C-alpha cells in the first residue's frame, strides 16, 4: 500500500469538509436567509425548504457528483445520505436530549416532520427493493417532498402553535481568532460580499460543488487504496464529516435554550436528505443516461431498518412522555450509533 497518496487523499478529504462547512455556514446559508426574507417566507417554510437545503447542501452535492461521476460510484452518495440520516437521528438528537433533559418541546412541528420522515424512509426502502432505482422511483421521492412543503405551508393553520423559544445567535467561525489586521480585512470583505446575496448564493453553489467533487474523488481513492467498499466510506467517514458541523450548531442552539429547534432541524434535514438528496441525483441520472441505477439493497437493509425503528420509537416515546426530552433516551441513542458503527466496520473488515 502506498502511504503517500493515501495521506494526501485524507488531507484533501479533511480540507473539503472544513472548507465546505465554512462556505455553507458563512455564505450559502446567509444568502438563503436573505432570500427567504425577501420572499417573505414564514419561519416554518424557510426552515423546511431553503434552510434545509442550506444545511444539507454538502450531502446533496456529494450525492450528485457520486451518481453522475463516471465509474459507478453512486454507493458513496447513497452511503453519505443514509449515514448522515443515521448520524442526525441518533447523535444530534441524542446530544440534544443529553444536554437538555426534561425540556418541553412543541409537538406540532416535530409530529409533522417525524411522520414525513417515516414516510421518506419507507419510500427509500421501496425504492431500493429491486436493487435498482428507476425514473419513477426518483419522481416519487421528489413528489413526496413537494407534498411535504405544501403540508408545511398549511400545518400551522390546522395545528396552530406559537414558537416560545428565543431566536439563537448566529454561529459563525469568529474572525477574531485571526491576526487583527487580517480579521479587519475579512470583516470588510464579508460586509462587501453580503451586499450581493444572489451573487453569493451562486458562487457558494459553485464552491460547494467543486469541494464535493474533490471530496468524492478523495473518498474513491481512499476506498480503492484500503480495499474498503465505497458504501462503507460513505456511511462512515463522508457522512460523519458532512454532519459534524450540524452537530456543533445543534449543540450550540440547544445550549441557548432551543432544544426543540435543534431536534426539529435534525429530523427535517433528514427528510430533505432522503427525498431530495437522493431523489434529485437519481432523477438527473435517469433523464441524462436513460438508465436505472443498480444498487445492492442488502447492504442498506440494516441502516434503513435502524432509521425506521428509531423514528417509530422516538414518535412513541414523545407521545408517552408528552413531548419532553430525556437523558436516558439521549444516552441510548448515542450508544446505538456507536454499536452501529462498530458493526458496519467489523462486517466490512471481517
Amino acid at each position: 500500500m502506498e502511504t503517500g497518496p493515501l495521506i494526501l487523499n485524507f488531507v484533501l478529504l479533511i480540507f473539503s469538509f472544513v472548507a465546505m462547512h465554512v462556505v455553507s455556514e458563512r455564505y450559502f446559508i446567509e444568502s438563503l436567509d436573505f432570500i427567504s426574507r425577501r420572499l417573505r417566507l414564514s419561519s416554518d417554510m424557510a426552515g423546511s425548504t431553503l434552510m434545509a437545503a442550506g444545511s444539507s447542501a454538502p450531502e446533496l452535492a456529494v450525492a450528485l457528483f457520486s451518481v453522475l461521476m463516471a465509474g459507478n460510484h453512486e454507493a458513496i452518495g447513497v452511503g453519505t445520505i443514509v449515514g448522515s440520516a443515521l448520524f442526525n437521528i441518533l447523535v444530534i438528537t441524542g446530544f440534544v436530549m443529553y444536554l437538555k433533559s426534561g425540556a418541553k418541546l412543541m409537538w406540532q412541528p416535530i409530529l409533522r416532520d417525524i411522520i414525513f420522515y417515516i414516510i421518506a424512509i419507507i419510500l427509500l426502502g421501496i425504492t431500493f427493493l429491486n436493487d435498482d432505482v428507476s425514473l419513477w422511483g426518483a419522481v416519487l421521492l421528489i413528489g413526496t417532498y413537494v407534498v411535504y412543503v405544501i403540508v408545511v405551508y398549511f400545518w400551522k393553520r390546522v395545528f396552530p402553535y406559537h414558537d416560545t423559544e428565543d431566536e439563537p445567535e448566529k454561529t459563525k467561525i469568529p474572525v477574531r481568532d485571526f491576526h487583527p489586521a487580517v480579521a479587519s480585512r475579512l470583516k470588510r470583505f464579508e460586509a462587501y460580499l453580503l451586499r450581493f446575496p444572489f451573487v453569493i448564493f451562486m458562487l457558494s453553489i459553485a464552491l460547494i460543488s467543486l469541494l464535493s467533487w474533490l471530496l468524492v474523488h478523495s473518498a474513491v481513492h481512499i476506498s480503492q487504496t484500503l480495499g474498503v467498499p465505497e458504501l462503507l466510506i460513505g456511511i462512515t467517514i463522508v457522512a460523519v464529516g458532512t454532519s459534524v458541523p450540524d452537530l456543533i450548531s445543534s449543540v450550540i442552539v440547544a445550549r441557548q435554550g432551543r432544544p426543540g429547534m435543534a431536534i426539529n432541524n435534525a429530523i427535517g434535514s433528514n427528510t430533505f436528505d432522503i427525498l431530495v438528496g437522493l431523489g434529485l441525483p437519481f432523477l438527473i441520472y435517469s433523464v441524462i443516461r436513460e438508465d436505472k441505477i443498480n444498487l445492492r439493497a442488502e447492504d442498506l437493509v440494516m441502516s434503513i431498518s435502524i432509521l425506521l425503528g428509531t423514528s417509530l420509537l422516538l414518535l412513541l416515546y414523545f407521545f408517552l412522555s408528552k413531548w419532553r426530552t430525556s437523558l436516558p433516551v439521549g444516552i441510548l441513542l448515542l450508544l446505538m450509533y456507536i454499536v452501529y458503527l462498530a458493526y458496519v466496520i467489523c462486517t466490512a473488515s471481517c
Side-chain angles (χ1 to χ4, degrees), residues 116 118-130 132-149 271-284 286-287:
F116 267 91
I118 291 172
I119 293 172
I121 297 169
I122 293 173
L123 290 178
L124 180 65
I126 294 173
T127 302
F128 290 156
L129 194 60
N130 296 321
D132 56 44
V133 180
S134 65
L135 174 63
W136 292 112
V139 170
L140 179 62
L141 294 175
I142 296 291
T144 304
Y145 188 75
V146 173
V147 174
Y148 168 69
V149 172
T271 303
F272 181 92
D273 278 347
I274 292 175
L275 297 179
V276 180
L278 289 179
L280 184 59
F282 291 162
L283 179 64
I284 294 175
S286 299
V287 171

Side-chain angles (χ1 to χ4, degrees), residues 115-342:
I115 289 174
F116 267 91
Y117 182 44
I118 291 172
I119 293 172
I121 297 169
I122 293 173
L123 290 178
L124 180 65
I126 294 173
T127 302
F128 290 156
L129 194 60
N130 296 321
D131 290 342
D132 56 44
V133 180
S134 65
L135 174 63
W136 292 112
V139 170
L140 179 62
L141 294 175
I142 296 291
T144 304
Y145 188 75
V146 173
V147 174
Y148 168 69
V149 172
I150 295 173
V151 170
V152 169
Y153 180 78
F154 290 103
W155 189 261
K156 205 167 186 177
R157 302 180 186 183
V158 179
F159 301 99
Y161 63 93
H162 177 65
D163 191 349
T164 57
E165 295 180 341
D166 297 327
E167 186 68 23
E169 299 175 3
K170 298 289 184 180
T171 56
K172 296 182 179 180
I173 297 175
V175 296
R176 64 176 179 273
D177 291 344
F178 297 101
H179 187 277
V182 176
S184 177
R185 292 181 180 179
L186 282 174
K187 287 180 180 179
R188 289 199 300 270
F189 179 67
E190 285 190 349
Y192 177 77
L193 284 179
L194 292 174
R195 289 166 57 189
F196 308 98
F198 290 99
V199 176
I200 295 303
F201 175 72
M202 298 306 297
L203 289 176
S204 299
I205 290 177
L207 282 173
I208 291 173
S209 300
L210 178 63
L211 291 167
S212 299
W213 174 84
L214 179 63
L215 188 151
V216 172
H217 266 280
S218 302
V220 168
H221 286 298
I222 291 172
S223 171
Q224 293 173 346
T225 304
L226 295 178
V228 176
E230 292 183 0
L231 183 65
L232 177 62
I233 295 292
I235 286 178
T236 55
I237 297 176
V238 181
V240 173
T242 55
S243 301
V244 164
D246 290 335
L247 171 63
I248 295 172
S249 299
S250 297
V251 167
I252 293 173
V253 167
R255 285 178 173 171
Q256 290 174 341
R258 293 179 66 91
M261 178 182 179
I263 293 175
N264 210 64
N265 283 348
I267 298 172
S269 178
N270 276 4
T271 303
F272 181 92
D273 278 347
I274 292 175
L275 297 179
V276 180
L278 289 179
L280 184 59
F282 291 162
L283 179 64
I284 294 175
Y285 181 94
S286 299
V287 171
I288 292 177
R289 302 192 179 182
E290 299 181 351
D291 193 10
K292 295 180 178 180
I293 299 176
N294 296 316
L295 295 168
R296 293 179 57 192
E298 65 270 15
D299 293 337
L300 294 169
V301 169
M302 180 181 178
S303 301
I304 295 176
S305 299
I306 292 176
L307 283 176
L308 182 59
T310 303
S311 303
L312 290 172
L313 287 175
L314 269 180
L315 183 59
L316 176 63
Y317 163 74
F318 281 137
F319 270 123
L320 295 177
S321 67
K322 297 182 179 180
W323 304 94
R324 291 190 177 276
T325 57
S326 166
L327 176 62
V329 173
I331 294 174
L332 176 62
L333 292 175
L334 293 171
L335 288 176
M336 284 177 62
Y337 187 74
I338 294 172
V339 171
Y340 166 76
L341 275 188

